[in-house]
Structures are given as C-alpha cells and as structure tokens.
Amino acid sequence: MAFAINEINRNSNLLPNMTLGYTVYDNCVNLGIGFRAALSLASGREEQIILDNTCVGNPPIIGIVGDSSSTSSIAISNILGLYRVPMVSYFATCSCLSDHRKYPSFFRTIPSDAFQVRAMIQILKHFGWTWAGLLISDDDYGLHAARSFQSELNLSGEGCLAYFEVLPSEKNADEFRRIVEVMRKSTARVVIVFAYESHMINLMEEVVRQNVTGLQWIASEAWTAAAVLQTPQLMPYLGGTLGIAIRQGEIPGLREFLLQIRPILHHNSSYGNSMVNPFWEFTFQCRFAPAPAGWVEGGGALCTGQEDLKNVDSEYLDISNLRPEYNVYKAVYALAYSLDDMLHCKPGRGPFSGNSCATLQKLEPWQLVYYLERVNFTTPLGDQVSFDENGDALPIYDVMNWLWLPDGSTKVQHVGEVKRSAFKGEELILDEDKIFWNFESKKAPQSVCSESCPPGTRMVRKKGEPECCFDCIPCSEGKITNKSSSCPEDFWSNPQRDQCVPKKTEFLSYHEPLGICLTATSLLGTFICAVVLGIFIYHRSTPIVRANNSELSFQLLLSLKLCFLCSLLFIGRPRLWTCQLRHAAFGISFVLCVSCILVKTMVVLAVFKASKPGGGASLKWFGAIQQRGTVLVLTSVQAAICTTWLVSSSPVPHKNTQYHNDKIVYECAVGSTVGFAVLLGYIGVLAFLSFLIAFLARNLPDSFNEAKLITFSMLIFCAVWVAFVPVYISSPGNYADAVEVFAILASSFGLLITLFGPKCYIILLRPELNTKKVIMGRVTES
C-alpha cells in the first residue's frame, strides 16, 4: 500500500498537485480491535498528525483499504455503510458481501466466494468427479462458502456431497479425529476445503496420525499458497493438491522500494519503528540500542540501521508471488482513480444535485462512493479493474498445483485459470500435462459414488442416498444409455439398447407381395378395358354394339380404365401430390363411371317406353347431347366437391407412430373427414339411383336385357362399397390403403365383367347372334 501511494504521488498524470497520505492500523486478527479502528477512522478521532506548520490536524479519510477477513469486513461495513465511507477489501471473499443494498460502500478487488465456488465446480466437472467431501471453517467465510457451494452444486446437477463437516476453530482433538474417520471411511476420493491455514494444520495432524492417503485435495484461496503446509511430513498427503489462488500480479519497482527501507528513516514515527525494528532485528540477528542485558556480552551484534537488505535471503524481498499484495495495489489505485475522476468534474455538469461537482474542501464520503462505482482503469499488467453493481471486481483466479519434486522439495505451479469475460462468460483453462497427480497411476483419480451405467442400462437411484448413488437396470424399449434418454421421434433403440437406430418404415409398397399383387391386378384391369374398348371399336358397326348405345359404352370403358389406374396412386410412399390426387382421381373416375351407367339405364327405360304406342315423345329428352350433358353435369358436381375439399382441408402425408412403437406407418391423413364422406356419399347416391332405375326396368323384354345386367352390376358395386366402409375404418396403416385399393378393383371388375362380359361373348364366340335380324326378331316375338 505504501509503495502504491508513493507511486501515485510521483505520477504527474494522476492526482496532480495533490499528495496522498495514509494511516495504518493493525487489527491484530481481532474483530474488536479492527472494529474500533474503523470507528476511529470514520469519526475522525484518530490521533493528530503534524507534517509541517501549515498542515496540522485530523486528516480527511477518503477511504479504507481492508479488512482482510470476511467476518471483520462484515462488521466494519455495517458501520461504515451508515456513513457511506468507501471500503475496498483485498482479501474478504464472503459472497454475502455482494449485497450492495446491505453494504452500500463496500468494494473488493478479490473475487467473491460465489465465483470461487463455481470455479471449483467447473474443476469437478472437468475431471468427472461427482462424489466429493466438503470441509469448511466455522466462520462466515466457511459457512457462506458451504451454502453457496451446495446451492450451485444442486443447480448444476454435476455431483453430490459424500459428507459435509465443519472444522472447529479451536484444537478439538476428538472432533478432528471424528472428521478424519469420516474421510477415511468414505468412498469419495476428492476433498474440498474452505478454511484457513490454522484449521488445515490441526486437520493434517490427525490425517497424518491416521495415515489417510489417496485423497485429492482441492484448496480454497485461503490456503492454496500456505507454505507452512508444504513440508516433507505433509507432502505425501497433500502432494498434487489443486487450488484456487488469487490472481498473481507484477508490480514493477516494488523490490527497489523495499530495499530503501531503513529504520533510521522512521525516527519520527514510533509506529514505524515498531513495525520495522523487530523485522530488522530478526533479519540481521542484531539488536538496537539499548540492547537487552547480556546481549553484547554474549557476542550479539548491535543494529546500526545501515545493514544492506540485498545481502540477506528474506521472504520480505520475494516479489515472485504477489497475490494479496496485487489486490492491495489495485485497491489503492481504485481509490486514487475515483478521486481523480471526481476532481475532473466540470462545474455545471456534475452528477449531484443541481449538476454540481464535489470539491476536495467539502468532500463527502458518499460522493467518492459514486465515482468508485464507476471507476474503470487498467493496471500495468493489463488487468482491467472495475466494479459491478454488487461492488465486485471482474473475477479471475489462477489454478495452482502442489508439485512434489523427487529431491523432496515442493513447488506450487500455475496450471490454469478461471475467469469471466463479457464475451465468453465463465471459462476454465487447464494445462493438464503440467498437473502432478500424487497417485501411483500418475493420472487423475476417479471419485464417483456409482460407476456409470453400461450401454443399454439406466440409473435407478438408491433409496435414502444422494442421486449420484444408483443401481443400473436394463433400459426399456425406445430408450438408451445410462440415463435412459428417449430416442428421437423417428428412431428406436436397437436390441442392445445402446444406440438409437432409424425406425422401420411401413407403407403399401410396390416391392412387397401385397403391393405387387394389387399393382398387377390394376394393370390387368386396365389392359382388359383397353382390349374390350378395342373390340367394341372394331365391331362398332355391329348390331349389338349399336343397340347398346356405343358412345356411352366407350365413355364407360374409358372411365373404368381410369378407375383401375387411380388405384396405383394408393400404392407407394405417400407424397403430398399423391395424397391430394388419389381421392380426387378416385372420386371423379367413379362418378364418371356411375354417371354413364345411370344415363345408360335411363336411356334403356326411355327406349322401351318409346316402343309403346304414343311413347315416342320420351326419346327427345335422351338424345346424344342430353346424354353427354347429363354425364358432364353429374361429374362436375363431384369435381366441385373435390376442389372444395382440397382447398379447405387438403389430405397430407402423415407419419403415424400410434400403431407400432418401433415403426413409422406412412399414410395420407384425409384432412377433412366431412369432405371424404361427401365424396363417397355422392358416389353412393348415384349408384343407388342407377340400381333403383335398373331394378324397376328388370322385367323389360329380353331384347332390352341391358337393365338386368346393370341391376346385377350395381348390386355388386353397392355390396363392395357398403362392406368397404367398416373394414376401412378398422384397418390400421397401410392395410387401410390396401382395403381401398381392393374395393376399387373389385367394384371395377364387377362392372367390367357384368356389363361387357356377355357382349364380348356374343361378339367373339357367338357372332351368329350379333345380327340385326336376330335382334329385331326378338323384338317381334316380344
């Protein structure tokens, strides 16, 4: 702190024409003493200082750097917060201090325990350690860390605690013995400790006594760099420890500043001498005059104050591992930059009431808090320093590893870091090749309550134990892996239950026997229609063709051909266009067919009536134009029904997984059930009218036996489609398509055979009956 203030005072760009001073209080690791010091600073009752004749009195306190412990910081911040005196701690990590409403003037340059906890959980996750023990100190630091750790662990779902113990503050041998016994019996190989060096010393004494080895320790920043634990007696147990450490920094010029310290330079400050003299006497093994009795007689040397620190090996001059010191350095600079920002305020543009600025002569602590909340600067090391809404600095930790060298010496080496950035969030960076593992395998240990379930099995939690402890049982169908995760919708588990494989697909295919048979039958019907049409065209001038309304017969054969062909749209994998076309083609083709039959029946009836005396007028309503118009109008109605259906609720392909769990049945969803019902109903109405008229005309003379053929054909047609409806509704998947194709083919063949079979028989096999004389003879006989 003294070096930072000295550096700031020599910096012409930071706080020019201003000199910073400081007062140091020792809290003696005692809450009461630290509390009284804070009250003294806040109330202005500390002893007066005299720099020269023009500077006498109580110095203005603009901020406090400290305290080091969380417990002291909590108590002191409760008081300083009332006065809004800014306090910047360099070592208090309790996450509870992040409550800026409760501690409005508290800031810190060390990350909160909440971030340290998340850093530890990231390490656990990285190495797959899901089963660990937690030890904490019996104070605010440990208790808040434990609460935060358990909360974060539950949220992450990355592991469980095998045990949770509180290390006593005093040396309680029975309690330490019990805790170490719990550690020894536990199956957890990883131990996380949030405690101070003093707690660890007492704990390790019992660990050594019970010879508990094979543990992987994870240290909080409070003891990661504790040299007192890095001894030949403890390294067999603590070697390989992974620890979270405060960010190491470099402070250029610090060593040279330390070398300038001389006791004689502080002759005006009894407090300065009280700090320096014992250190000087210990370092150089001398005593300042007056020396204790017998010191000189015993060969002891007297200190002159001119001894050279360069000639001794002292930790005081070791600046290779500046961690809390670097946080102190940043804390002093944070206060200085805040004060500098305040002094750069332009009158009339200030942040306070009436756009006023704060002045040094009338500086209120809360005004500096305002600037401290917004301070933002970069250290010579390149670290950015600013505070968030909770008073916490941007968090970054080093990950350290305790290396036990072959010669018995120890080294705490840097193996990674955990940091949070605005762009990447929180990230853990580890150099695993550098990590020393204190195990025979020289590899990271395993620490799990239960081994991961093998493929094809799933976890079942053991009753009364944490969720990390489980048994493995075989997965049910459709689920895989040790977590029994369900396969995606289009996938299913293989017989081994270790991976998802695509579900089998099912539809009425051209490649399966049923599809081949239906396709062949459809093509056969089409071919027969073509043959019959060819026969009728070839023999179109014969009496039997002419007598049976050749034009309607040709139209009927063409519509039957379309009926046979439309059945092919029901075979193959459903596509959007086939789903939309299949029912439309089916409905229009059959309406065209049944319309021809209906008109043919009506013509037969009209011809018979015309043969009676006075019945000639009935034929004028059934001329060729009227016949074509009737067929066209009746077919157009069905076309309109199909168009309305397709536009309002079109049939679409559908993947049905309801029939079989391991199969996908591809089918066409009709879209609108009403539309499908109207389409079938319209065909049924026309077929019923044809049947009814033909039935009424069944007793006509033999020369007009076409009515009997139509009656029989319509009877077959109606029987097929009446049977179709219940069978179609009850048939699943591709069988529904097969049922519809079968109904189409059966009814088409029924019409083809009953209507054209007898005529083809006469044309081909009994040509002697295909004469006008025979036809007219029968009429005469009638």
Side-chain angles (χ1 to χ4, degrees):
M1 186 188 74
F3 168 77
I5 290 178
N6 184 66
E7 189 176 64
I8 292 168
N9 287 336
R10 289 187 289 108
N11 188 343
S12 60
N13 296 320
L14 183 62
L15 295 175
N17 303 319
M18 181 179 294
T19 301
L20 293 180
Y22 60 91
T23 301
V24 178
Y25 283 83
D26 189 350
N27 64 15
C28 302
V29 199
N30 184 291
L31 177 59
I33 295 176
F35 193 69
R36 285 197 299 272
L39 284 176
S40 177
L41 288 169
S43 63
R45 291 183 176 273
E46 73 277 11
E47 63 182 70
Q48 291 188 350
I49 62 169
I50 302 176
L51 294 181
D52 53 47
N53 294 331
T54 61
C55 187
V56 179
N58 295 325
I61 300 298
I62 64 168
I64 295 176
V65 176
D67 196 334
S68 58
S69 78
S70 294
T71 299
S72 297
S73 294
I74 291 170
I76 295 171
S77 292
N78 275 317
I79 298 301
L80 296 184
L82 299 176
Y83 300 96
R84 296 297 192 272
V85 176
M87 175 178 177
V88 186
S89 176
Y90 55 90
F91 209 63
T93 59
C94 181
S95 57
C96 59
L97 288 165
S98 293
D99 188 348
H100 213 48
R101 289 177 299 178
K102 192 173 182 180
Y103 309 105
S105 62
F106 179 82
F107 302 85
R108 54 182 161 192
T109 53
I110 187 172
S112 141
D113 280 335
F115 181 72
Q116 181 177 197
V117 161
R118 291 195 295 273
M120 288 187 173
I121 290 177
Q122 286 196 57
I123 293 175
L124 295 178
K125 180 181 178 180
H126 181 83
F127 292 108
W129 296 331
T130 60
W131 191 233
L134 177 63
L135 305 178
I136 65 166
S137 57
D138 189 12
D139 54 18
D140 290 310
Y141 170 69
L143 295 173
H144 280 90
R147 188 179 300 119
S148 177
F149 188 89
Q150 290 175 305
S151 174
E152 291 289 341
L153 194 63
N154 291 334
L155 286 175
S156 68
E158 298 294 343
C160 309
L161 289 180
Y163 54 86
F164 168 44
E165 299 291 343
V166 179
L167 301 177
S169 300
E170 305 296 331
K171 188 173 182 179
N172 187 328
D174 292 336
E175 183 64 8
F176 277 107
R177 186 180 304 110
R178 183 195 66 79
I179 292 172
V180 174
E181 185 70 19
V182 170
M183 295 167 59
R184 187 175 61 81
K185 292 181 179 179
S186 175
T187 57
R189 297 293 87 198
V190 175
V191 183
I192 302 164
V193 185
F194 284 91
Y196 297 101
E197 296 176 16
S198 57
H199 299 91
M200 285 300 299
I201 291 171
N202 295 330
L203 175 67
M204 292 311 298
E205 286 179 1
E206 185 62 30
V207 169
V208 172
R209 196 188 70 80
Q210 295 191 29
N211 194 29
V212 182
T213 59
L215 296 179
Q216 175 62 49
W217 297 83
I218 298 182
S220 68
E221 35 68 42
W223 66 278
T224 291
V228 70
L229 297 172
Q230 299 166 27
T231 64
Q233 294 76 24
L234 297 182
M235 284 305 289
Y237 306 91
L238 291 175
T241 294
L242 287 174
I244 302 295
I246 300 169
R247 172 74 162 173
Q248 180 178 342
E250 295 180 5
I251 306 178
L254 177 60
R255 179 179 172 84
E256 290 72 19
F257 176 80
L258 296 175
L259 288 172
Q260 295 173 9
I261 299 298
R262 292 286 186 276
I264 195 170
L265 298 179
H266 298 271
H267 60 87
N268 288 330
S269 172
S270 61
Y271 182 72
N273 280 327
S274 70
M275 286 197 302
V276 177
N277 288 3
F279 159 73
W280 204 266
E281 291 178 340
F282 174 81
T283 302
F284 294 102
Q285 292 299 300
C286 61
R287 292 291 183 269
F288 284 99
W295 174 260
V296 176
E297 291 79 0
L302 290 176
C303 298
T304 66
Q306 298 302 316
E307 290 83 3
D308 193 352
L309 287 171
K310 292 181 181 179
N311 299 328
V312 295
D313 184 14
S314 172
E315 290 185 11
Y316 171 70
L317 297 174
D318 182 10
I319 60 169
S320 62
N321 192 30
L322 302 178
R323 295 185 186 278
E325 299 87 348
Y326 186 49
N327 284 343
V328 172
Y329 182 77
K330 292 190 291 186
V332 174
Y333 264 92
L335 287 168
Y337 271 103
S338 300
L339 188 59
D340 189 64
D341 291 342
M342 184 191 76
L343 296 178
H344 278 86
C345 175
K346 294 182 179 180
R349 296 184 181 180
F352 308 118
S353 61
N355 296 325
S356 62
C357 295
T359 62
L360 196 59
Q361 291 73 20
K362 297 181 180 181
L363 174 62
E364 295 290 341
W366 60 267
Q367 294 174 320
L368 189 62
V369 169
Y370 173 86
Y371 286 97
L372 197 57
E373 290 172 341
R374 292 158 178 79
V375 73
N376 193 332
F377 65 95
T378 303
T379 68
L381 188 62
D383 289 334
Q384 184 182 359
V385 179
S386 63
F387 301 105
D388 62 15
E389 65 277 6
N390 297 317
D392 294 327
L394 289 174
I396 182 169
Y397 273 118
D398 290 337
V399 180
M400 311 303 292
N401 178 230
W402 288 22
L403 178 62
W404 191 19
L405 299 172
D407 60 1
S409 62
T410 62
K411 177 184 177 183
V412 180
Q413 62 176 352
H414 179 275
V415 294
E417 63 183 21
V418 189
K419 61 183 179 180
R420 183 172 68 201
S421 63
F423 302 103
K424 296 183 179 180
E426 294 179 5
E427 59 177 334
L428 170 67
I429 303 171
L430 282 179
D431 185 355
E432 292 191 48
D433 294 335
K434 291 176 61 177
I435 298 178
F436 167 74
W437 302 107
N438 193 26
F439 302 95
E440 290 184 6
S441 64
K442 301 301 179 184
K443 296 180 180 178
Q446 280 193 324
S447 187
V448 295
C449 181
S450 300
E451 293 290 339
S452 298
C453 289
T457 61
R458 64 184 179 90
M459 298 183 298
V460 175
R461 184 174 172 180
K462 292 182 179 179
K463 189 175 181 180
E465 296 192 26
E467 61 181 12
C468 299
C469 303
F470 50 83
D471 294 318
C472 300
I473 65 172
C475 287
S476 57
E477 287 189 346
K479 296 186 176 182
I480 61 166
T481 74
N482 56 355
K483 292 185 179 179
S484 271
S485 56
S486 298
C487 290
E489 182 181 4
D490 293 347
F491 291 79
W492 193 251
S493 59
N494 64 353
Q496 292 76 30
R497 308 283 196 273
D498 58 357
Q499 62 178 332
C500 290
V501 294
K503 288 182 178 181
K504 297 178 181 177
T505 57
E506 187 176 273
F507 53 87
L508 188 58
S509 171
Y510 289 107
H511 305 291
E512 60 181 79
L514 180 59
I516 293 172
C517 291
L518 293 176
T519 301
T521 305
S522 174
L523 295 176
L524 177 62
T526 305
F527 175 74
I528 295 174
C529 284
V531 171
V532 173
L533 181 60
I535 293 172
F536 267 57
I537 293 174
Y538 185 77
H539 296 278
R540 63 184 178 279
S541 59
T542 60
I544 196 167
V545 174
R546 295 177 64 189
N548 286 279
N549 199 330
S550 58
E551 183 176 344
L552 281 177
S553 296
F554 293 155
Q555 290 180 5
L556 182 57
L557 284 169
L558 287 173
S559 62
L560 282 173
K561 195 173 183 179
L562 292 176
C563 291
F564 281 115
L565 289 175
C566 77
S567 64
L568 297 176
L569 294 172
F570 292 83
I571 305 173
R573 182 167 178 167
R575 311 279 183 188
L576 179 60
W577 68 274
T578 57
C579 288
Q580 293 176 334
L581 191 59
R582 62 167 57 172
H583 289 108
F586 153 71
I588 294 173
S589 299
F590 267 87
V591 164
L592 179 61
C593 178
V594 176
S595 299
C596 291
I597 295 173
L598 177 60
V599 171
K600 187 185 255 303
T601 308
M602 296 172 69
V603 169
V604 169
L605 190 60
V607 169
F608 173 72
K609 289 184 177 180
S611 64
K612 300 293 184 180
S618 61
L619 276 178
K620 69 178 181 179
W621 298 104
F622 291 97
I625 295 177
Q626 286 81 359
Q627 294 175 28
R628 296 190 200 107
T630 303
V631 171
L632 180 61
V633 170
L634 294 176
T635 306
S636 298
V637 173
Q638 184 72 308
I641 293 172
C642 292
T643 303
T644 304
W645 179 18
L646 293 177
V647 171
S648 61
S649 183
S650 173
V652 292
H654 173 61
K655 293 190 293 186
N656 196 324
T657 57
Q658 303 297 319
Y659 303 131
H660 307 284
N661 289 330
D662 59 343
K663 289 182 182 179
I664 298 175
V665 177
Y666 286 95
E667 59 186 15
C668 284
V670 295
S672 171
T673 306
V674 174
F676 187 45
V678 171
L679 181 144
L680 290 178
Y682 184 64
I683 297 174
V685 169
L686 295 181
F688 179 75
L689 287 176
S690 299
F691 172 76
L692 184 62
I693 295 173
F695 181 78
L696 294 175
R698 71 189 184 282
N699 293 323
L700 295 178
D702 287 347
S703 297
F704 303 99
N705 62 1
E706 182 81 7
K708 292 182 179 179
L709 298 178
I710 293 173
T711 302
F712 187 56
S713 66
M714 285 294 99
L715 185 62
I716 295 174
F717 183 88
C718 292
V720 168
W721 287 103
V722 168
F724 158 77
V725 174
V727 177
Y728 179 82
I729 293 173
S730 61
S731 298
N734 60 337
Y735 294 108
D737 291 336
V739 167
E740 191 164 357
V741 172
F742 180 80
I744 292 171
L745 295 178
S747 57
S748 299
F749 271 111
L751 294 176
L752 179 63
I753 293 171
T754 54
L755 292 176
F756 295 96
K759 299 178 181 63
C760 290
Y761 171 76
I762 292 174
I763 293 171
L764 298 176
L765 301 179
R766 299 292 301 275
E768 68 275 8
L769 299 179
N770 188 13
T771 62
K772 185 176 181 180
K773 182 179 180 181
V774 172
I775 300 293
M776 295 304 293
R778 290 186 178 182
V779 173
T780 304
E781 292 174 4
S782 302

